[in-house]
Amino acid sequence: MIEYFSHARKQGVPLFSIIIPTWNNLTYLQTCIRSIRQNSAYNHQIVLHINEGMDGTAEWAKKEQIDYSYSAQNVGICLGCNAAYSLTKADYIVYMNDDMYACPDWDKHLYDAIKEYGKDDFYFSGTQIERYPCDNAFIVSGKDYGDSIQNFDEQRLLRDYTSLAVPDWNGASFPPSVMHRHFWNLIGGFSVEFSPGMYSDPDMSRKLWEVGVRNFRGIGKSLVYHFISKSVSRVSHNPGRKQFLKKWKMTANTFYTFYLDFYNTKQSSYIFPISLKLKLKLLSDRIRLHL
């Protein structure tokens, strides 16, 4: 059973409703919410889904007058986010992890991109800063500002973050992500069959593609520091790779590479020819489906 708790707003209509699922991760959640309150350019609504909350998360949320849904058991990201969505009030819905720290003006850069585009059929992501080196365009990698709240070098990050911005990139699919509530309603939010959440990100993007969204843009100036998998590492994983393949008759890699033009920093029109290479890749995926 899921319970719902909301509070009367003291401020005006929020620009974003920010959904944050959390699972006994209070110290990271507190840092995440403090960063949103401290570093946002606009007024936003924060909505939590609290799984279990054995660390006092619900009591803290009540004290802070934060809206939240609650389940006594861990229902995962997909169902949790869908439950929290029922409490949202803004036109723009943001999904964020509880182990992220939002850098100053993270929201301004997302909203600037929304205004520039001028339509509702988009899915935009901010850009994550992570301590591990990697070659992915959607991550500013190898920038170590701490692997825990205890050793988080917040002041150094605040000095450095403007120099860490990267060019915008294609293939938005990861938090912090934003879409218009019209499209959340149209696709039904997260697919609960991917609970607790592995491969729910590419599935969300694939559903948006199915209903006509073609603007999947990562915003290189909208930065968050990611402590990395502080909840995921504690939970049993669903077989998301196989689930995605079975549902969409292609791998997530095929979708990212051929449809979303993932990692590319040159802006894509998302209009692609059905090439021989794609046909062969889809055939390979379908053969894999029956192995």
Side-chain angles (χ1 to χ4, degrees):
M1 179 179 175
I2 295 178
E3 302 176 73
Y4 299 88
F5 302 86
S6 61
H7 301 84
R9 290 187 58 79
K10 297 179 181 178
Q11 298 172 306
V13 177
L15 179 63
F16 295 162
S17 287
I18 305 170
I19 295 174
I20 307 174
T22 188
W23 179 38
N24 300 327
N25 212 23
L26 181 55
T27 55
Y28 287 92
L29 177 66
Q30 289 171 328
T31 299
C32 177
I33 291 177
R34 178 174 61 81
S35 74
I36 293 169
R37 289 172 166 173
Q38 171 182 299
N39 296 332
S40 294
Y42 298 102
N43 169 45
H44 305 303
Q45 176 197 21
I46 297 171
V47 186
L48 308 178
H49 179 75
I50 300 174
N51 287 300
E52 295 183 357
M54 294 188 296
D55 58 353
T57 301
E59 291 77 11
W60 180 79
K62 286 179 182 178
K63 180 181 177 182
E64 293 293 313
Q65 295 191 313
I66 297 170
D67 299 334
Y68 67 93
S69 54
Y70 168 79
S71 57
Q73 292 79 37
N74 180 13
V75 299
I77 289 171
C78 302
L79 183 55
C81 285
N82 290 351
Y85 173 74
S86 66
L87 296 173
T88 61
K89 296 179 172 63
D91 284 339
Y92 299 108
I93 307 301
V94 171
Y95 161 52
M96 185 180 289
N97 290 347
D98 66 358
D99 61 347
M100 290 178 167
Y101 176 95
C103 293
D105 289 337
W106 70 280
D107 58 332
K108 178 182 182 299
H109 297 299
L110 283 177
Y111 190 50
D112 284 350
I114 292 170
K115 291 187 293 183
E116 178 188 21
Y117 182 56
K119 296 187 289 184
D120 294 343
D121 57 337
F122 66 86
Y123 192 39
F124 292 162
S125 285
T127 301
Q128 300 177 19
I129 304 166
E130 293 187 353
R131 63 186 183 275
Y132 295 123
C134 74
D135 296 326
N136 295 334
F138 70 97
I139 293 175
V140 179
S141 65
K143 303 298 181 181
D144 189 352
Y145 294 93
D147 62 359
S148 68
I149 297 300
Q150 289 69 32
N151 62 17
F152 176 39
D153 196 343
E154 181 178 359
Q155 293 308 310
R156 184 164 63 89
L157 174 61
L158 291 174
R159 289 195 301 269
D160 294 353
Y161 78 95
T162 54
S163 66
L164 301 179
V166 296
D168 290 356
W169 44 273
N170 294 329
S173 197
F174 300 111
S177 54
V178 59
M179 72 176 76
H180 197 282
R181 70 183 305 114
H182 292 166
F183 280 87
W184 182 288
N185 291 335
L186 187 59
I187 66 172
F190 281 94
S191 299
V192 295
E193 67 267 25
F194 283 85
S195 294
M198 306 305 114
Y199 280 73
S200 59
D201 293 323
D203 177 72
M204 177 78 87
S205 295
R206 183 64 182 84
K207 291 199 296 182
L208 287 166
W209 181 279
E210 194 73 5
V211 298
V213 174
R214 295 294 182 268
N215 192 351
F216 295 82
R217 180 178 166 194
I219 310 304
K221 291 182 179 180
S222 177
L223 297 170
V224 298
Y225 186 69
H226 189 204
F227 289 99
I228 307 176
S229 301
K230 294 303 178 183
S231 293
V232 170
S233 61
R234 294 184 280 133
V235 71
S236 296
H237 293 187
N238 58 292
R241 186 191 303 266
K242 291 182 179 179
Q243 288 175 291
F244 188 96
L245 175 58
K246 184 175 181 180
K247 180 176 181 179
W248 297 111
K249 306 300 187 290
M250 68 177 71
T251 63
N253 178 265
T254 297
F255 175 60
Y256 282 149
T257 302
F258 290 94
Y259 290 72
L260 297 193
D261 195 21
F262 206 30
Y263 309 148
N264 195 343
T265 57
K266 295 180 180 178
Q267 289 301 297
S268 172
S269 64
Y270 297 102
I271 300 174
F272 61 94
I274 304 299
S275 65
L276 176 61
K277 188 175 181 181
L278 174 56
K279 289 180 179 178
L280 290 173
K281 186 64 171 67
L282 289 171
L283 177 61
S284 172
D285 290 349
R286 288 168 184 173
I287 291 171
R288 181 182 300 183
L289 180 60
H290 296 287
L291 292 179

